[in-house]
Amino acid sequence: MQHQRAVRGTFSGRMTGLVLASVAGTLVICLLAIVWLTAQRIHDQAEQQALGIARTVASIPDVRTDVAAQAELETLDVAALAEGPLQSTLEGVRERTGALFVIATEDRGLRLAHPNPDLIGERVSTDPVALRGVEATSTERGTLGESVRAKVPVWSADGERVVGEISVGVGVAAVSADVRQAAVSVAVVGVVGLGLAVLTAVYLKRRLRRLTLGLEPDEIAASARDQAAVLYGVQDGVLGVSPEGVITVRNKAARLLLDLPHRDDPDDVVGRQYLDSGLPGRLEAAIGDTLHSGASTVGLRLTVGESSMLASVVPVRRDGVDLGGVAMLKDTTAVEALGSRLDAVEAMAGALRAQRHEFANRLHALSGLLAAGQLDAAQEFLQQVIESGPVKDPVPGIDAVQDTFLRAFVGAKGVQAHELGVQLRVGPETSFWQTVEDPQDATAVLGNLVDNAVRAALDGDGAEGHDAGPAGRGATEPWVEVDLLGDGDTLHLAVADSGGGVPEGLDVFAAGTTTRGGGDHEAHGHGVGLSLARRLARQRGGDVWLADAGGGASGGPGPDRDGGRDGDRGRDRCGGAVFCARLPGVLGHTTDWREEER
């Protein structure tokens, strides 16, 4: 590419040469035309000058009388004419006007006056056309050289016949001198014009290099193709802003993430100021910082509608030229959803490890009894294991959940909560016998709500008025309660906790919102979980909402804490918040066993 550029020259250099060639060619053509027209004008002026002199001389009465008198004679007296008044009169006119010659002839074409007296009495060297009664101008060569001459007839006193001719000539040398002087003046103007053209071409070259950033046309075309391929081939959103704050480019991903108008819409943001384009306020502030201070912004979390993204705004410079800034938008909705689903799998794996560890302990105890020879004790222990079945999940009421996957997930969350000192239980209102067809979204939403509730319960541990529920539970033991209900293919769930509730006026579903206190846990979200759960639910046509903010005795809806003892419900609902969710399409169609019995 560099070798080809050296051979062909740069685009700006070629454009400069083309401009100079065009201007120079135009100047040459114009100058030649001006010189030619000037020469014609000077020649015409010489003809008119000669014609004017000739007319004037031919109209002098004495000249007319003398010429008419000589026309009557058969023979001319050359000596007398050379010294006569006609010769002196015409020579005086020639000297005063600067003409090359002023000649008078009689009606036969014989000279009556001439600058060279020796030629008087001889016939003129050119055609005496004026003797035919007409005026004529021409450029001819005579005895005095080439000249622009005019010939005018001399009429008799009565004006009835031509008695002679007046011929006046202006030397071509004088005309040529005038033409050369005019040509020099035109050439000077041409040189000045060419100099201005050179300066203009140099300025154009520099401006072209600045505007094209030193790129050649083929490189610009390749850049345009690459830009289109990159902008519309990547999944990330791209938003370009000029140094003046005008949005110059945006791809489809940016339009979808930021919910911007279509490119065919009159309100399309391309070509508009970024402050007037409806961008999120935090993104506008980041772009402003980048344009004004050149600072980069990385890891800016934004939420627009159902989209969650990370934004980065960086300045762009090339060869020291400020090109503005570029905002990169990375959609994190799918990544966060995948993270929540992986957390659910990890929770179940952790629960299985705990159960495996407990089962290994039982096998070790049985092995020890057998090694000690205590066969009766070993048989009795083995019978107890058989009767108790597998290791039980520390989740009261989990038998109400019939789906294997969801039951395992709730049990896994119960193990995690138990390790943190929080009791997870299934509420007495739970009635769930359906099969979960789409466990990913179900566990992602339920897992986020349970995790947030556990954090809220830990932050509210020991707070005054937190009743653990039914008798037999610790008075200050934190708890989380889950209620599940299947309705066709829709899963309804509610998650309550014993924490301090949601502060008034706080939007816990906004991205980045947290109610973190001074401890090691975050209550009701750390900026991602709840907003993600709501987005996942709304993508399925469902929703997640705060049913009860808590913070005091609740008279609103909420799960029954005491196994159906209505008198204790208000006491159990003191403080904690209740979150509800509706997830359509996650359950398979299963006939209710109660309907089969009927």
Side-chain angles (χ1 to χ4, degrees):
M1 178 65 71
Q2 294 296 333
H3 176 69
Q4 292 179 354
R5 182 180 296 186
V7 173
R8 296 183 305 166
T10 62
F11 171 67
S12 57
R14 296 197 302 272
M15 288 296 297
T16 302
L18 180 60
V19 169
L20 284 176
S22 300
V23 173
T26 303
L27 280 175
V28 169
I29 294 174
C30 292
L31 291 178
L32 290 177
I34 291 173
V35 170
W36 182 80
L37 292 174
T38 302
Q40 290 295 319
R41 179 179 57 81
I42 293 175
H43 185 273
D44 292 342
Q45 287 178 350
E47 288 183 342
Q48 294 301 318
Q49 180 185 4
L51 184 61
I53 295 172
R55 286 173 177 173
T56 301
V57 172
S59 64
I60 297 175
D62 291 342
V63 171
R64 294 177 65 184
T65 300
D66 290 344
V67 172
Q70 295 297 323
E72 298 293 335
L73 300 176
E74 291 292 334
T75 303
L76 299 178
D77 185 354
V78 175
L81 290 173
E83 298 295 335
L86 183 60
Q87 173 73 4
S88 61
T89 299
L90 269 58
E91 281 298 298
V93 171
R94 181 183 66 82
E95 293 174 356
R96 289 193 299 272
T97 59
L100 179 64
F101 60 83
V102 178
I103 299 173
T105 69
E106 42 90 76
D107 58 355
R108 290 172 294 180
L110 301 178
R111 300 186 184 97
L112 301 176
H114 193 278
N116 185 0
D118 295 336
L119 298 177
I120 296 174
E122 297 181 2
R123 185 176 177 82
V124 293
S125 60
T126 59
D127 184 15
V129 294
L131 295 177
R132 295 193 288 269
V134 296
E135 294 179 348
T137 58
S138 62
T139 301
E140 296 177 319
R141 178 175 293 274
T143 57
L144 296 177
E146 188 174 6
S147 63
V148 177
R149 59 188 64 191
K151 297 178 181 181
V152 175
V154 178
W155 296 88
S156 62
D158 56 8
E160 293 182 356
R161 65 187 183 92
V162 177
V163 296
E165 173 189 83
I166 299 298
S167 179
V168 177
V170 177
V172 171
V175 175
S176 299
D178 292 340
V179 172
R180 285 194 297 271
Q181 183 178 359
V184 170
S185 301
V186 172
V188 171
V189 174
V191 171
V192 172
L194 186 61
L196 292 176
V198 171
L199 294 178
T200 303
V202 172
Y203 169 76
L204 178 61
K205 178 180 180 179
R206 292 181 178 178
R207 182 164 180 80
L208 282 175
R209 288 184 61 85
R210 184 166 61 252
L211 292 177
T212 61
L213 303 179
L215 298 177
E216 297 299 300
D218 52 349
E219 294 175 324
I220 295 175
S223 297
R225 291 191 296 267
D226 294 343
Q227 173 183 302
V230 171
L231 288 179
Y232 295 95
V234 299
Q235 299 296 323
D236 294 344
V238 179
L239 199 69
V241 184
S242 70
E244 294 76 23
V246 177
I247 297 178
T248 57
V249 66
R250 65 110 184 91
N251 62 355
K252 181 178 180 181
R255 178 176 65 84
L256 295 177
L257 287 173
L258 298 175
D259 193 22
L260 300 175
H262 194 271
R263 64 180 180 181
D264 296 330
D265 194 307
D267 295 330
D268 185 19
V269 298
V270 177
R272 301 175 59 183
Q273 285 286 333
Y274 74 95
L275 293 174
D276 302 326
S277 302
L279 302 180
R282 299 177 65 194
L283 181 59
E284 288 184 353
I287 293 175
D289 290 342
T290 298
L291 295 181
H292 296 134
S293 63
S296 299
T297 301
V298 181
L300 179 65
R301 184 176 294 276
L302 301 173
T303 299
V304 179
E306 302 301 327
S307 300
S308 177
M309 68 201 79
L310 285 176
S312 299
V313 184
V314 296
V316 180
R317 300 184 66 86
R318 180 185 173 94
D319 297 334
V321 179
D322 183 12
L323 301 180
V326 174
M328 303 292 295
L329 308 171
K330 182 178 293 293
D331 186 5
T332 59
T333 303
V335 176
E336 293 172 354
L338 180 61
S340 296
R341 292 160 182 165
L342 291 178
D343 288 342
V345 174
E346 183 180 3
M348 295 178 64
L352 291 176
R353 285 196 298 270
Q355 289 186 349
R356 182 186 62 80
H357 180 71
E358 182 65 24
F359 189 73
N361 290 337
R362 293 183 180 183
L363 290 180
H364 291 157
L366 180 60
S367 176
L369 292 175
L370 292 176
Q374 300 180 16
L375 298 180
D376 293 339
Q379 184 176 7
E380 181 180 358
F381 179 75
L382 182 60
Q383 185 64 32
Q384 291 177 359
V385 171
I386 294 174
E387 291 178 353
S388 63
V391 179
K392 296 292 184 180
D393 296 315
V395 181
I398 198 173
D399 292 337
V401 181
Q402 301 297 318
D403 179 74
T404 304
F405 186 90
L406 198 58
R407 178 169 178 163
F409 177 73
V410 174
K413 285 297 181 182
V415 172
Q416 287 184 334
H418 184 73
E419 292 176 353
L420 294 174
V422 178
Q423 183 190 60
L424 175 65
R425 65 195 186 211
V426 176
E429 302 294 335
T430 297
S431 177
F432 187 78
W433 62 89
Q434 289 93 333
T435 301
V436 177
E437 292 278 332
D438 188 355
Q440 294 185 355
D441 283 352
T443 54
V445 174
L446 179 59
N448 274 303
L449 294 181
V450 169
D451 289 343
N452 289 317
V454 169
R455 282 190 292 270
L458 288 172
D459 282 352
D461 185 16
E464 182 180 356
H466 284 193
D467 192 343
R473 301 184 182 123
T476 59
E477 180 184 10
W479 51 261
V480 173
E481 185 171 287
V482 177
D483 284 288
L484 303 170
L485 177 63
D487 181 15
D489 65 349
T490 302
L491 172 62
H492 299 269
L493 57 92
V495 178
D497 61 74
S498 61
V502 177
E504 183 178 357
L506 178 66
D507 183 8
V508 293
F509 293 103
T513 301
T514 177
T515 56
R516 181 181 178 91
D520 296 332
H521 307 283
E522 294 174 347
H524 296 303
H526 50 88
V528 177
L530 290 177
S531 61
L532 174 62
R534 170 174 277 185
R535 288 197 300 274
L536 291 175
R538 289 183 172 177
Q539 288 175 359
R540 306 189 65 92
D543 201 1
V544 175
W545 67 95
L546 177 63
D548 189 348
S554 174
D560 191 348
R561 310 289 180 189
D562 57 5
R565 293 176 298 177
D566 296 338
D568 291 337
R569 180 173 300 186
R571 175 174 53 85
D572 288 341
R573 281 296 302 118
C574 182
V578 179
F579 287 87
C580 296
R582 184 181 73 257
L583 301 174
V586 300
L587 303 181
H589 180 71
T590 303
T591 305
D592 191 343
W593 60 271
R594 290 170 294 185
E595 294 180 355
E596 292 180 349
E597 288 184 352
R598 291 196 295 267

